[in-house]
Each structure stands twice: as structure tokens, then as C-alpha cells.
Amino acid sequence: MMKNKFSYNPLPQRPVISWLLRVAFLSLAAPYAAAGGDAPSWMHAQANAALPSYDDKTDAVLLYSETDVTVVSTDKIRTTVREAYKILRPDGRRYGTVAVYFNPQRKVKSLHGWCIPAQGKDYEIKDKDATEVSPNFEGAELISDVKYRVLHIPAPDPGNIVGYEYEVEEQPFFLQNEWRFQEIDPVRESHYSLQLPAGWEFKASWLNHAEVKPAETGSNSWKWTLTDVNAIRHEPEMPPFSGVAGLMVVTLFPAGGRSPMGFATWDDMGKWYSGLLAGRMEASPELKQQVAALTAGKDSQLAKTQAIMRFVQHDIRYVAIELGIGGWQPHPAPEVFAHRYGDCKDKATLTRAMLHEIGIESYHVVINTERGAVTAETPAHHGFNHAILAIKVPDGLNDPSLVAILQHPKLGRILFFDPTDEMTPFGQIRGELQDNYALLVTPDGGELIALPQQPPAMNSIERTAKLTLDDTGTLKGDVKEVRLGQRASSERWALRAVTKDVDRIKPIETLLSSSLSSFQITHASIVNLNTPDQPFGFNYTFESPAYAKNASRLMLVRPRVLGKKAYGFLETKEPRKFPIEFEGPARDTDTFEITIPAGYEVDDVPPPVDADYGFASYHSKTEVKGNVIDYTRTFEVKELSVPVSRAEELRKFYRIIASDERNTVVLKTAAK
């Protein structure tokens, strides 16, 4: 939905890439020229390895992984990687495509691949057969100096073993390395070796795995070994992969003391990033003139701030330019202003420069837009993909529109704001940022903080309908929806480029089709599409033939006409391993008034429902008022994560909702 790139180098250590990128590379790369050639001994050592029995969801197993890191100096690190997979099922063929990224600071020195078939002679593919491609980050308006060398290993078929070896040499921007040893498929054996120059030291930090002590293998060299690492099986609404996968972060310290290129703590990382910001927020004369023009006639700091925020959100186009250190360091504010474009950290830098001109302090905040990717236990490393702002709220400024506020023990009240999110009003943040850990960067250093969670009512759908049922079972009438928060911004994002009226009502059609077997929309309009600081809305009129079911002298009517809150993704026989993550706090209400046809009376109504499990609640009630059935319900998400220990409670909660959504009111012909 969002084009929120922090513009750091997000590329993984592992060369095995996601299947989406792999599909793109398959379409771009030239055909390989397979040749006969013996696979290396380290691969053949795995050919006859005894394997446990895997279920039918396991596509492949990583038989052997070896990562050898040699630190030459602060300006040069060499890494050699060897890996071999056994393909178990057709979808495991994706491991036959290997992609190793490079840029001006990272050179691919060699790249080879092999296949050991279950029967027949080995295949080999050499460096000269690799193809260079540039990743296509669709919609991100990205300019990057990162490319990939892509190798297609022949015959990656079930029963065969594919493997590769490559060496890279890089000039690092910071002295830190990561060992990502856990995958979506099981790992039988994994090694990580580190060779340091004399006098150098290291610190190893572990996440989502018990600490493993290394073995000393020589002078200032160490080796870590892991065996039988479990696969991470995807579960619906689980935390992001990076938040649950095993990780070892190695921070390097040169001889003679700490280097500004290394950080062992979040405070260190904050100092490192703060150094990248130095001198970037000085305003040019033209920028000062713009601030003066925007704030002219505004008699309050809030009005002035709002004017600046609207300008940065809507008049500065999002374009990410990731060249060298530009993957982490923002461009100077005057450049961003002059060009009228920048990525998230550029827009944050420009906003800070403009706020400074009206006497308001602010700070960069780096965050991962996938809540759970960084937690309170995460070791200090580059686990972020986005940049926003923390703004000091002036003393005495108390306005109900300013909701995303945290009381900081040193800075006082700080308000979080995302300059790239043009659909979220100033004063609020969208759901994925709420209750999410981020690095607050100040001139004194860095601090990992949890962003505030907004009240559920600020992310809501309030749906009201006045409907009429005739004696044939046809239901028709008017519906009004008022949406706030992300419930509104998601619709605005979906409709922002839609120009045809027939396409603008597709969200309404989708809602109706999920609840009604047949329908016709006779009128529809959109409210406040282009005014994000106002509630968004849909107003529409529909007709649904045979909505009610006739049975002799009875008619069955479902009072919950539209909208589904029950989810079936938890109904599985396999035990849940990971928490369930909600998108954000929410509070949705439905009110349906159904006027029943003449000659009928209500014979039976469903019982009320009151289900409150702490993390979420659901309340519904069906009443009869004269000849009108009045159904009301409220669905509220209060906590954003449900632990595995309470997964069964969540299943029960959704079953209660599903039952209520199926309930019917029984009508019978009135006695004469």
C-alpha cells in the first residue's frame, strides 16, 4: 500500500531470494549453458546424508551451509558462502536460482553452481554464465546502484542436490555482520566462521535462538556450528519472518578501541545515524521563504505546523535514490526542497528543517513497518526500513487532533508523524506503526522506544442502514458508511488513481458480494475522497432479491445484512507456533434497521451476544420495535498481538462471531 522505503541496504546475507524476485529474475536472465563437471567434495559429502522424514509441505532441505567471513581492515571484508540444497518437491526448484547482490562497495569475485542428480553425471554452471540484472521495485520510484548476479543451476528437480559457492569483497559502511541461519525450509548443518586481524574483538548477539558459543579455530578466528534448525512454517497473521527467525549479529571492534563505524548498542547506532544527519538540516534562503509563505497569517504554532506538514506530505514527491551511503544518509534539506522529491528519510530531514524555522524541535525515528520485526529483545542492528519523525509538542499545546503522543522522560511530549503518508492526517499514525518498536535518534545518541497505540475508535467503520423487506423476500434500502483512520486511508489509497465512476464503486461491490448472494446497486457516492483530515465515506442504495427465505408461512431473515468479522484462518488441526498479529486497533459498528412486510410479525429473534476476551470484544443485539427489526453490533480490537497460549480463545471468539453472523430472525404471517 505504502511506498515507505527507509532506503537502507535491505538486501539479505543469503543469496537465496524470495520467490517473487526469483520469478522476475527468471524472466530477465539469459538461458544457462549447462556443462559437465564434477561438483566439489563438500557437496558430494552431502549426497548420501541420511535425512529424517519430512512432511508434504517441505519443499527442500538445506543440507549444508558455510559462511566464512574474513575481516582484512575497516575498509575490506571478504565473505565466502557455500550452500547445498536437496530438492524434495517441485516447488523446491526455486533453490536452483541463485542471486548475489553487488554495488560499487560490494564486488562479486566468483560465483559457481552445481547439480548432483539422483542419477547421471554432475552439472556445472560457471561465473561466465551468470546474468546481471537490476531489481524492479515496482511502484517505489527507486533509483539504486544495487544489481544482482543471477545464476540458474540446471536440473533443480526433486531428488537432486543443487549447490553454489560465491565470494564477495566489500567496503562496509559499518562494522557489523549478520548470520541468518534459519529458513522457511529445514537446515541440517550450518556454519559461520570469523577471522579477525590481530587485536580486533567482536560481540555476538543472538535473537530467537539460544546463544551458541564458538570454537576457536586459530589465531583470532572462531567458528559457530548449528545442526537441525527447524523450518519456519508460514501461519496466517503471524509476525514478520525477520521477527521470528534465528539471527546472530556480530559487531566488530578494531584494535585500539571502538570505531564510529561499529555499534554494539542502540545508543551507538543512534550516534552513528546522528553523524549521518550532521549539516543536512540547514535551511537555504529559498526554503526559509517557503516556510514564511506557508505560515503567513497563521496565528498559532499548530496552524503553522499543519501547513508545513501538508506541504511535505503532498507537494514533495516520493522518489528513493539509493546510491552508496545514500542508502542510509538523507540528502540535504535544501536539495530535497529544490528538487521537490525525496524518500522517507529525505522528507523527514526536510520537515525537520522547516519545523526548526518556526521554533519547533524534532528528531528522526527509524522503524520497521512490519510490527514485530524489531522487539525489545532485538540486538542493535539495521532491522529498519522506514523513517518518520518525533516532534516536540510545545508547552501549552493541547489539541484533541494530536493523538500519536508519547510522554518521554527527557524530551517531554513528542508527537509521531510520517511525512510520506499523505492519507493519514497530522496528529495520527497508521496501524502498523502503533505499538511498534523504533529507534529515536537524538544528538546524544539512540534509544529504542515503543510508539503509542491509538484508541480503537480512531480506526473505525460506522455503518448504518435503513432497509425494507417485501413479501417476496427482496431487501432494499440505503446504507451510509463513515470511515476513520486506516479504515479510511486504505480506501483512499485504493481509489486515488481511479477515474471512472464504475470503478470507484468496486469496493462497495466487493462488500456486498461477500454478504449477499445477489444484489444491484442503484445509487452510490463517495464522501471526502481527497480530504484526508475529514472522515471518508460511502453512501449507496442497493436491492437484493430473495434475501429472506420463505418456508411455508414463515420467512427467515438474517439481521446481520452486511460485513463479516469472523475469520476462519485459525481453524486448523496443526498447533499454532507464533502469535497472531492484528493490523491495528479498531472499533467497527453496524446498525441495520429492517422494516418487515405488511402481514408479517416477528416470531423469534436471536439472543444477544457479549464476548470480551481482553484482546478483542464483540457485542450484538437484535430488537423488535413495532414493525422494525433493529440489529446492532460492535467489534473492537484492543490489543495488537495475541500470544500462542491464547490462540484457542481467539478461535472461540471468531466462532461466536460466525454463529451470530449466521443467525436469523423468524417471521410468520400475522394472525387474522
Side-chain angles (χ1 to χ4, degrees), residues 22-81:
R22 194 178 304 278
V23 169
F25 290 146
L26 283 169
S27 65
L28 290 172
Y32 55 76
D38 290 338
S41 59
W42 63 266
M43 275 189 66
H44 273 284
Q46 307 300 319
N48 298 315
L51 297 178
S53 177
Y54 295 109
D55 63 22
D56 58 5
K57 295 181 181 179
T58 303
D59 296 329
V61 55
L62 178 55
L63 298 173
Y64 182 82
S65 174
E66 180 181 351
T67 302
D68 297 331
V69 177
T70 299
V71 178
V72 180
S73 66
T74 57
D75 296 324
K76 184 184 293 187
I77 295 178
R78 294 195 189 102
T79 302
T80 301
V81 174

Side-chain angles (χ1 to χ4, degrees), residues 128-139:
K128 64 182 179 62
D129 300 313
T131 305
E132 291 186 7
V133 299
S134 298
N136 178 22
F137 297 96
E138 183 178 356

